[in-house]
Structures are given as structure tokens and as C-alpha cells.
Amino acid sequence: MTEKNAYIYSIGHGGRKIEDFINLLNIYEIKYVVDVRSKPRSRFHPQFNQKKLHELLNQSGIGYLFLGDKLGGLPSEPSCYDEKGHVVYNKVKGMSFYEEGLARLTSANEKKIKIACMCSEIDPCDCHRSKLIGSSLSEQNIPMLHINKLGHIEDQETVIKHVINSTLGNDLFSDESSLKSRNSYR
């Protein structure tokens, strides 16, 4: 699948300047930013607070949609967490609110509307954009392309390989199959 045929991207604002952020959206011809932050604010980067971001995107001709209540990485539903307080993505995937949010993304994809799911983490390997949302889309054969820290594109498969390799590097006794079975935490 080439970039021309893909419609769902992801991007993290990280420490980017708002001008650089909007420039990247324009480079990839993104029409809407779908904010998937559970809490759409930034203490250190107020230009990414929900109201200000919406305003700046609107001025740039880019739409804004908040879906953090449905697709956020920190759901309000207590049953989505394990006994240690970690989010269990496999539980989130079964929730009706998550399925509703995912349906909004798949609808945009069917209509060939280029969107970017936005969160705080600049590296897609560190974010639920790849581990939860991108994984769910992959299960439906819908590609998600991730705009990385350098502004380049990485496909979902590449990002997940990086996630697996970084996790395996931290645990000498794991292998790829055991990681996939544990693929439930943030």
C-alpha cells in the first residue's frame, strides 16, 4: 500500500513547534486531525491544548475532531485496567465506546478522507496510536501510516517490529510470540 492509497495516519505533537506540526499535516495532505488524547491538553506546550489547537488547525484549513473519549489510551472505564493499574488493550478493544471510535476512522477511510490520529508521544512506538489503534486497523486490513519524529513515514508493521525489538532487548528470556501474547499493556 502506497501513501497515495492510505488515508489514516498518526502523528505525535511531542515538542514540535505548531508551525512544523501543521506543515507536516500539509505535506501529507491531511484534512482532519483526530485527537486521540484522553486528556486533550499539554502543560508544557499550550498551543496543543484542545481549544487552541482546534483554532490553529481551523485557520490552516484543517478540521479537528476529538475522539479521546472513545480512542484514548487512558479510558475512563475501570474494567480496562489490570490489578496494577495498567491499561489492557485487549479489554479496550472489546468496549463499545472503542468500537464506535474505530468505526469513525474506518468510515473516513472508506470515504478516502485523509486523517491523522494525534496524541502527545512523538514516537509512534511509545504510543497507543500504534499499539492499540494501528493494531485494530491492521486486523481490518486498513493500513495506518505513522509520521515519525523526523517527519518521515513508517508503516504499522515497521513500528510494531521496533516495539517488539525494543521490548525483547529489555527481557532476555522473552521471544516474539510471548511478547505478542503480552501485547495488552501500554
Side-chain angles (χ1 to χ4, degrees):
M1 170 103 6
T2 65
E3 288 177 36
K4 297 251 184 239
N5 297 328
Y7 302 100
I8 302 178
Y9 290 71
S10 91
I11 188 167
H13 72 72
R16 296 186 208 270
K17 294 179 184 174
I18 189 68
E19 300 83 15
D20 296 338
F21 180 81
I22 291 172
N23 184 50
L24 284 170
L25 297 173
N26 286 323
I27 287 170
Y28 294 107
E29 302 174 345
I30 303 299
K31 301 299 179 204
Y32 286 89
V33 166
V34 178
D35 193 341
V36 295
R37 297 175 294 172
S38 297
K39 298 173 183 164
R41 58 185 176 273
S42 175
R43 190 168 69 174
F44 299 109
H45 305 285
Q47 68 275 22
F48 289 101
N49 288 341
Q50 185 176 23
K51 185 177 177 183
K52 185 66 174 173
L53 177 62
H54 188 181
E55 175 186 309
L56 293 169
L57 289 171
N58 195 31
Q59 290 171 5
S60 299
I62 300 169
Y64 173 88
L65 176 64
F66 175 73
L67 285 181
D69 56 339
K70 299 186 182 316
L71 297 174
L74 299 172
S76 59
E77 173 57 47
S79 66
C80 292
Y81 295 82
D82 69 10
E83 62 282 344
K84 293 181 181 176
H86 298 114
V87 178
V88 181
Y89 289 153
N90 288 334
K91 289 183 181 181
V92 175
K93 287 181 179 183
M95 295 291 167
S96 61
F97 61 84
Y98 180 76
E99 291 171 355
E100 289 171 26
L102 204 60
R104 299 283 301 268
L105 301 184
T106 58
S107 175
N109 185 66
E110 289 167 2
K111 295 174 183 174
K112 299 183 182 339
I113 300 169
K114 281 194 174 184
I115 63 172
C117 295
M118 184 209 80
C119 200
S120 303
E121 292 83 2
I122 200 162
D123 186 345
C125 294
D126 297 334
C127 187
H128 79 289
R129 298 187 316 268
S130 64
K131 298 174 187 175
L132 175 61
I133 300 169
S135 171
S136 295
L137 291 169
S138 267
E139 291 168 5
Q140 297 182 37
N141 294 316
I142 299 172
M144 176 178 256
L145 297 177
H146 302 278
I147 303 170
N148 68 19
K149 182 178 184 174
L150 300 175
H152 301 134
I153 294 294
E154 290 183 290
D155 64 26
Q156 175 69 15
E157 185 179 336
T158 301
V159 170
I160 293 303
K161 283 181 182 176
H162 290 309
V163 170
I164 290 170
N165 288 337
S166 68
T167 303
L168 291 177
N170 294 332
D171 182 354
L172 297 174
F173 303 103
S174 293
D175 61 18
E176 191 170 325
S177 62
S178 67
L179 175 68
K180 286 182 180 178
S181 69
R182 292 184 298 169
N183 185 18
S184 57
Y185 299 111
R186 282 189 79 223

